[in-house]
Structure formats: structure tokens, C-alpha cells
Amino acid sequence: MVYRRFLCIKDAVACINDKVDLIAVILSISLPQTTRGTDYVCKLKIIDESHPEIPVHVFAQEIDYLPFVAAVGDIIHLSRVVMRIYEGDVYAIFNKRFSSFALYDGKDVENFQPYQVLLRYEARKHDAMIIAGLRKWLASSHVIDEPNFSLLKEINEVGLVNLVCKVLHICKTTDDKWMAFIWDGTDVPPISIYKKPEDEEHNPLPLHFKPLPSSGDVLHTFPTVGTILRLIFDVECMPYILQLLKVRQWFKLFCVECKVHEGLWYGVFTSYSKIQDIPNVDILILERQSNYDCRSLGNLDRMPSWSFPWPSKITVVTFFLKHIEID
């Protein structure tokens, strides 16, 4: 097996069964899954300016040895990955025994220090020049398509949505599943409930879909304006998710299933969902925080935006005119 130090993707796809080094932009990353044995695997899609995207299958004995990609558009240096072909499609295999990687911010033009490295990784003096070139190309291209993100108040039907939310709390439910409380400062719309009054007497609707945190100290940290949505994690790789999630930080959540349980909205994070860290200066965060700050100023604005009838902010004064008849 030949080891080729550094190749662009265009040249690497011709080196089937060889070991190569690649430096490329990350287009997507899947959640980890367990293999038929005891290993973990996640799948990346990478691209550079020489060639369309190719898949990379990353295998690791421990979940901590997988890449924790902070954001789509970040740069990965893959060392000693093996090029393979299956039914005409070329892909790269990251071997847990001899491959290594390093992750770099895709936008920071001045920082050339990786934010995650595998122990076997060895940097080279020419890496910074290649990374700088990829950052310049990425900034001027449109290879990263930003999807539309919904506010909680814009959810109007059961289905998949992309959200930008702040994680307020993470805990386990009574059925031993992990759950996060997320928030963006807006109110989810009300749900029509079709139930007979006699049924309500014997089987009343719940006030909460899942129990609230038992600690009063936790509840006191929750905002007083906006819906706090419960997000249930229906995935096997929770150790990986828990390392990504941080309380009181904002995240982009992709392909979250919005569902309704007896008149209450909730979200489900599945194996098809994705999560991405987001800097505090992002315009999506600033818009949501500004909306919350404005609503927090007055008592009327604290009311759910779907309240009806909405109280008037104008003081109404009625003037009575006395009619006098003069002969």
C-alpha cells in the first residue's frame, strides 16, 4: 500500500487502495453509530476546490476518538486515510489503527491551531498555507448552503424543522431518556383540542408533557417570556451528544421532529437530526435576543403572543358631552 503525503481530492480519487493525506472542507457529518462489532463509525462529506464532495467513513474504538465538528464549513486534515471504491463510488476510510485527523475553524483567518486533534496527528509546515487557501476559497464560494431556520412561533404543523435555540437544562425523563429544555424567546402557537367535557372530568389533559426539573434553582434560571420546548433525544449516541451540548449556549438544530401530545408541542431529536454550535455574535442569536429584550420591558409584552383578546396598550378615555337645549 503506497502512502502519498498530500493530495487534493481530484488526485486522491485516482489512488484506489493507497494511503493519502487530505485537507478539505466539511460539508456534513452524521451522528455516530455502533458497528456490528464494538467500534463506532460516523460519516463525513468533504470537498475542496478541485473536486465535488466525497464521503469519509471514520471508525474509532471509543466515541471520544471521533471528530467533534463544531460547524459545517470547518476544515479537516485527514492523515493516512485509505481510498476505496464501491460500485463506482470513491470514498475514504479512516482506519482506527493508523489514521489521524485535526479539525480547524473554517472562518478564522488568523488562527491555525486545531481545536481537536487525534494523538497520532503530526502537523506539517505547509499545512497553514493550504488551510488559508481553503478558507479564502470557502469565503468566496457558495458550497455551504445555509438552510432556513424557524422560530418556535412559526411552527404550525407536525413535521421537520430547523431551529436556533438556547439550551436551558438537560436531564433524564422518568422513562430513562435524555431531554433538553430549549428556548428562542417566542411562543409556539396554541393547538386545538377535541375532547368531550365528560372525558376531561375522568382523564384531564396534562399540564406538562414531561415532568419539570425538580430543583427550584433550575426553574429560577428559566426565562419568564417565551415557550420552553421539551426536546426528547431518541438516539443511541448520547455520550457524543452530551459532549456537544452545553447549558446556556445557543445551537443550530437540524431536522428536529415537532410533535403534539394532548395539546402540547414537543420536539424529537432522531438519528437524522444534527446539532451545530453557533457563536454568540451570530445574527440569528442577536435577533432572537433582541426580540426577547424588547418583550421583557413591559408587562403586556410578557403575555403569550397568541393570547386573545390581546389587551390594548392605549389608555381609552371616554368623554361625555352634556346636551343643553336653549329656548
Side-chain angles (χ1 to χ4, degrees):
M1 186 181 294
V2 179
Y3 175 36
R4 304 180 186 275
R5 276 291 179 178
F6 171 76
L7 295 175
C8 62
I9 295 177
K10 178 182 177 181
D11 295 332
V13 295
C15 300
I16 304 302
N17 296 326
D18 288 347
K19 295 179 184 176
V20 301
D21 285 3
L22 301 170
I23 300 181
V25 175
I26 299 170
L27 285 182
S28 67
I29 181 169
S30 70
L31 291 175
Q33 296 178 336
T34 54
T35 64
R36 294 180 181 178
T38 58
D39 293 341
Y40 293 89
V41 60
C42 70
K43 298 177 182 180
L44 307 173
K45 287 185 179 178
I46 61 172
I47 191 173
D48 66 15
E49 53 187 326
S50 74
H51 192 274
E53 64 189 62
I54 65 168
V56 182
H57 298 183
V58 182
F59 293 88
Q61 193 168 3
E62 301 289 340
I63 202 167
D64 292 343
Y65 296 157
L66 292 173
F68 286 79
V69 179
V72 170
D74 281 354
I75 295 170
I76 189 167
H77 181 174
L78 295 162
S79 179
R80 297 182 179 86
V81 293
V82 182
M83 303 303 299
R84 300 291 191 193
I85 187 169
Y86 179 74
E87 295 184 349
D89 296 325
V90 179
Y91 61 100
I93 292 289
F94 183 98
N95 191 294
K96 64 180 182 181
R97 294 191 300 273
F98 52 77
S99 302
S100 63
F101 70 83
L103 290 172
Y104 297 85
D105 191 302
K107 295 181 180 179
D108 192 339
V109 296
E110 297 181 355
N111 182 14
F112 293 95
Q113 294 298 318
Y115 63 81
Q116 185 190 358
V117 297
L118 207 58
L119 293 177
R120 291 186 296 270
Y121 172 75
E122 296 180 3
R124 304 174 308 162
K125 61 180 181 180
H126 298 301
D127 290 350
M129 181 178 65
I130 299 171
I131 293 169
L134 278 174
R135 286 171 174 167
K136 184 178 180 180
W137 168 72
L138 185 61
S140 60
S141 66
H142 298 282
V143 295
I144 306 296
D145 292 327
E146 186 79 333
N148 293 324
F149 292 94
S150 301
L151 294 166
L152 292 182
K153 71 177 183 181
E154 296 170 336
I155 298 174
N156 53 26
E157 61 183 0
V158 173
L160 297 177
V161 294
N162 301 319
L163 301 171
V164 174
C165 288
K166 189 176 187 179
V167 176
L168 303 177
H169 183 63
I170 306 169
C171 63
K172 270 193 172 184
T173 64
T174 53
D175 52 1
D176 207 37
K177 285 190 175 182
W178 284 95
M179 176 175 64
F181 294 82
I182 62 175
W183 167 90
D184 72 358
T186 64
D187 305 306
V188 294
I191 297 294
S192 298
I193 301 173
Y194 302 97
K195 198 168 185 179
K196 297 179 180 179
E198 54 268 26
D199 295 335
E200 178 67 14
E201 180 180 356
H202 302 289
N203 187 23
L205 290 169
L207 295 177
H208 305 290
F209 165 61
K210 294 287 184 180
L212 287 169
S214 57
S215 172
D217 294 336
V218 172
L219 293 176
H220 290 161
T221 65
F222 285 6
T224 57
V225 175
T227 296
I228 297 172
L229 189 74
R230 290 161 175 79
L231 180 65
I232 309 297
F233 291 92
D234 188 16
V235 291
E236 298 179 355
C237 54
M238 275 313 299
Y240 183 88
I241 296 293
L242 291 173
Q243 290 194 43
L244 292 176
L245 282 179
K246 297 178 179 61
V247 176
R248 293 185 294 277
Q249 288 197 11
W250 291 82
F251 292 89
K252 292 179 180 178
L253 300 164
F254 303 87
C255 296
V256 171
E257 288 188 24
C258 282
K259 296 185 176 183
V260 176
H261 175 74
E262 295 189 331
L264 298 173
W265 288 101
Y266 70 100
V268 181
F269 191 98
T270 69
S271 58
Y272 298 101
S273 307
K274 296 178 182 178
I275 185 170
Q276 180 180 315
D277 195 2
I278 179 172
N280 289 330
V281 294
D282 192 285
I283 186 63
L284 294 172
I285 294 180
L286 298 179
E287 289 173 349
R288 285 156 175 76
Q289 193 65 52
S290 176
N291 176 65
Y292 167 70
D293 292 340
C294 291
R295 292 187 65 188
S296 300
L297 294 177
N299 291 330
L300 292 180
D301 289 316
R302 291 176 176 270
M303 296 184 63
S305 56
W306 300 98
S307 296
F308 184 82
W310 183 255
S312 174
K313 296 182 181 180
I314 302 174
T315 301
V316 179
V317 178
T318 303
F319 292 92
F320 296 94
L321 299 178
K322 186 176 182 180
H323 179 68
I324 304 175
E325 292 186 359
I326 302 176
D327 295 333

